[in-house]
Amino acid sequence: MTIEYPIYRSARRRSLCIQVREGRVEVRAPLAMADAEIRAFVQKKSRWIQSHVAAQQAQLAEVPAYSFSPGARLPYLGGELELHWGRGLGAGSVARQGQNLLVLLGSRSRLSPEQQARRLIISWYQREALRLLEIRTQALARRLGLNCTGVKVRATRSKWGHCTRDGLIQYNWQIILAPDSVVDYLVAHEVCHLRHLNHSPAFWALVASVCPDYLRLRAWLKTEGSKLML
């Protein structure tokens, strides 16, 4: 197997690093490191690289391929939303009506209707994730007497959530594709980090106190989380 990879160099980096993300290999190297040294290191790690690439590609093969055409169904908090199209003005918009998601395609876009619908829908999911996660995060933080300084959402694959020392909590917005109970577990996990910025027994005891079924939900996210992708 030939291993193809881009090399990202940095004057601040002191050591060589190989990363495998979504089945692709990236190499991060010090600015002055010779190409021959990089190739030798990649060759040395080739068995590890190939096993991780194969595992991630197998996971990606299980990711559902969603349509964004009228009548398609998209996951939302363990249920489904059915797509409906209409024609609007300007940049277009998306609105939820019960279990339906109404997409008004804009008149100014040069994208195909399905491409435009996909862009509008993903933007809606991101806004909805921020709204929902902020409400649940702040409510649980208040209940536990903790201070969450803010909530953000991003499109990350390495972590589902992250809590900083400053009390800022960040989530992967695609968690709202998961069942509602899994979302609650993730919120509980990150909010509990506001008190324990570690994974100590005290941290897990606090998680269990607000989410008794956390072991099952954590296992679900570990095995099924790679499929949560639009």
Side-chain angles (χ1 to χ4, degrees):
M1 173 184 175
T2 300
I3 300 175
E4 298 182 355
Y5 52 89
I7 300 173
Y8 300 99
R9 298 180 182 272
S10 171
R12 304 172 69 178
R13 177 168 285 280
R14 295 291 178 265
S15 61
L16 195 59
C17 173
I18 298 174
Q19 296 177 325
V20 182
R21 294 180 175 176
E22 297 185 1
R24 297 189 295 270
V25 182
E26 296 179 356
V27 175
R28 302 184 183 277
L31 191 62
M33 182 171 283
D35 288 349
E37 187 175 353
I38 295 173
R39 286 195 298 270
F41 186 77
V42 171
Q43 182 60 35
K44 181 180 178 181
K45 298 291 185 179
S46 61
R47 183 172 296 181
W48 177 90
I49 293 170
Q50 290 172 7
S51 67
H52 279 68
V53 168
Q56 291 185 13
Q57 288 180 344
Q59 285 184 332
L60 289 170
E62 296 180 355
V63 175
Y66 294 109
S67 167
F68 294 87
S69 299
R73 294 178 178 271
L74 297 178
Y76 177 78
L77 296 177
E80 290 184 323
L81 299 177
E82 183 175 310
L83 300 188
H84 298 270
W85 283 9
R87 288 288 175 180
L89 300 174
S93 63
V94 177
R96 181 184 173 194
Q97 298 177 349
Q99 296 307 111
N100 298 315
L101 205 59
L102 176 60
V103 181
L104 294 180
L105 300 177
S107 58
R108 301 173 185 171
S109 178
R110 296 181 179 180
L111 299 174
S112 70
E114 185 156 343
Q115 287 174 326
Q116 187 185 167
R118 182 180 187 276
R119 179 174 293 184
L120 290 168
I121 289 165
I122 287 178
S123 180
W124 179 87
Y125 266 86
Q126 291 170 339
R127 294 193 304 273
E128 183 69 5
L130 179 59
R131 183 191 67 82
L132 182 149
L133 291 166
E134 187 163 27
I135 290 172
R136 296 190 186 189
T137 298
Q138 295 292 1
L140 182 57
R142 287 193 298 270
R143 174 181 157 194
L144 296 177
L146 301 170
N147 181 36
C148 174
T149 59
V151 176
K152 291 184 177 181
V153 295
R154 294 183 62 188
T156 60
R157 298 305 297 173
S158 57
K159 289 183 178 181
W160 284 106
H162 177 67
C163 178
T164 72
R165 292 187 180 276
D166 297 329
L168 175 67
I169 294 180
Q170 177 180 293
Y171 297 101
N172 180 339
W173 67 266
Q174 295 186 104
I175 191 63
I176 68 167
L177 305 178
D180 205 42
S181 57
V182 176
V183 178
D184 282 341
Y185 156 68
L186 182 61
V187 169
H189 186 118
E190 298 308 326
V191 169
C192 289
H193 275 314
L194 292 170
R195 180 172 294 168
H196 303 286
L197 204 59
N198 52 46
H199 289 100
S200 63
F203 165 79
W204 288 116
L206 185 59
V207 173
S209 72
V210 295
C211 184
D213 201 20
Y214 82 92
L215 285 173
R216 180 184 66 84
L217 299 170
R218 182 177 65 167
W220 188 97
L221 190 56
K222 185 175 291 186
T223 58
E224 302 297 321
S226 60
K227 302 174 187 176
L228 302 178
M229 188 182 302
L230 278 186

